[in-house]
Amino acid sequence: MTDTDKSKNIIARLKEIGAITNIKGSGQFVTYEGLLMLAHENGIEQIKTELLGIDRKNKSCEFRAVASGARGIYSGHGDADPTNVGGNILPSFIRMAETRAVARALRLYLGIGMTAKNELPAGMENKKKARSPE
């Protein structure tokens, strides 16, 4: 089975379990829950995270996550700060940065180019595509 076939199978499986969400005007995004479930189905053995930097005063944080298993070793970075996290999530900016890093590492581990919903900046779900002037 080619890498392209494997990716198609993973996307089909994500659709099957309802792990792809459509955000009006922005496209389709994979859910964190779906990534985690598929990673377990595809031989994930370990996910490690590392705090790279934190500024509690400015509520800014960056993590690195490493996912390893049967498909290899992949790393991803995630950040959170007031410019990309909504007000209701901002008190949890540390956890959001870690979640984003893990989501990215899992996407790379699974060979998914689709962005995870958790990686989106604040308010993205409510934005609509800009119309071109007529």
Side-chain angles (χ1 to χ4, degrees):
M1 184 180 288
T2 69
D3 287 343
T4 302
D5 291 335
K6 288 178 187 176
S7 291
K8 285 180 183 176
N9 286 343
I10 293 213
I11 296 297
R13 180 71 176 121
L14 287 167
K15 287 179 180 177
E16 177 185 314
I17 63 173
I20 294 180
T21 184
N22 188 30
I23 298 175
K24 188 177 181 179
S26 297
Q28 293 184 325
F29 301 90
V30 64
T31 66
Y32 183 84
E33 298 83 3
L35 289 171
L36 198 52
M37 179 185 287
L38 260 293
H40 283 284
E41 289 180 9
N42 282 272
I44 192 86
E45 294 171 7
Q46 189 173 58
I47 302 169
K48 285 186 176 183
T49 62
E50 175 187 6
L51 177 62
L52 298 178
I54 186 168
D55 180 342
R56 289 183 187 275
K57 181 181 176 188
N58 294 311
K59 298 188 183 299
S60 175
C61 187
E62 184 179 355
F63 267 89
R64 176 177 181 247
V66 178
S68 58
R71 297 175 69 104
I73 301 170
Y74 298 88
S75 67
H77 290 80
D79 65 288
D81 63 51
T83 68
N84 64 22
V85 174
N88 59 334
I89 299 293
L90 194 55
S92 305
F93 73 99
I94 298 168
R95 291 186 296 277
M96 179 53 84
E98 185 176 37
T99 297
R100 286 174 170 174
V102 170
R104 185 157 179 81
L106 291 177
R107 286 192 309 105
L108 295 170
Y109 177 82
L110 293 167
I112 298 172
M114 184 183 302
T115 302
K117 185 177 174 185
N118 300 81
E119 293 179 89
L120 297 174
M124 180 76 166
E125 291 184 42
N126 299 321
K127 289 184 180 178
K128 295 182 179 161
K129 286 185 180 175
R131 292 180 141 192
S132 55
E134 298 179 89

Short mmCIF file of all heavy atoms in Angstrom, two decimals, residues 18 37 44 68 116:
data_model
loop_
_atom_site.label_atom_id
_atom_site.label_comp_id
_atom_site.label_asym_id
_atom_site.label_seq_id
_atom_site.Cartn_x
_atom_site.Cartn_y
_atom_site.Cartn_z
N GLY A 18 -16.68 10.30 12.41
CA GLY A 18 -17.19 11.65 12.64
C GLY A 18 -16.15 12.60 13.20
O GLY A 18 -16.48 13.53 13.93
N MET A 37 -7.69 8.83 18.63
CA MET A 37 -8.23 7.49 18.38
C MET A 37 -7.49 6.80 17.23
O MET A 37 -7.10 5.64 17.35
CB MET A 37 -9.73 7.58 18.05
CG MET A 37 -10.35 6.22 17.75
SD MET A 37 -12.06 6.35 17.21
CE MET A 37 -12.83 6.78 18.76
N ILE A 44 0.48 3.99 17.80
CA ILE A 44 1.16 5.00 18.61
C ILE A 44 1.61 4.33 19.91
O ILE A 44 0.88 3.53 20.50
CB ILE A 44 0.26 6.23 18.90
CG1 ILE A 44 1.06 7.39 19.48
CG2 ILE A 44 -0.86 5.90 19.86
CD1 ILE A 44 1.69 8.25 18.49
N SER A 68 5.55 8.93 18.85
CA SER A 68 6.35 7.84 18.30
C SER A 68 5.60 6.53 18.38
O SER A 68 4.77 6.31 19.27
CB SER A 68 7.70 7.73 19.03
OG SER A 68 7.50 7.51 20.41
N ALA A 116 -5.89 20.58 12.46
CA ALA A 116 -6.77 20.19 13.57
C ALA A 116 -7.57 21.39 14.04
O ALA A 116 -7.07 22.52 14.04
CB ALA A 116 -5.94 19.63 14.71
#
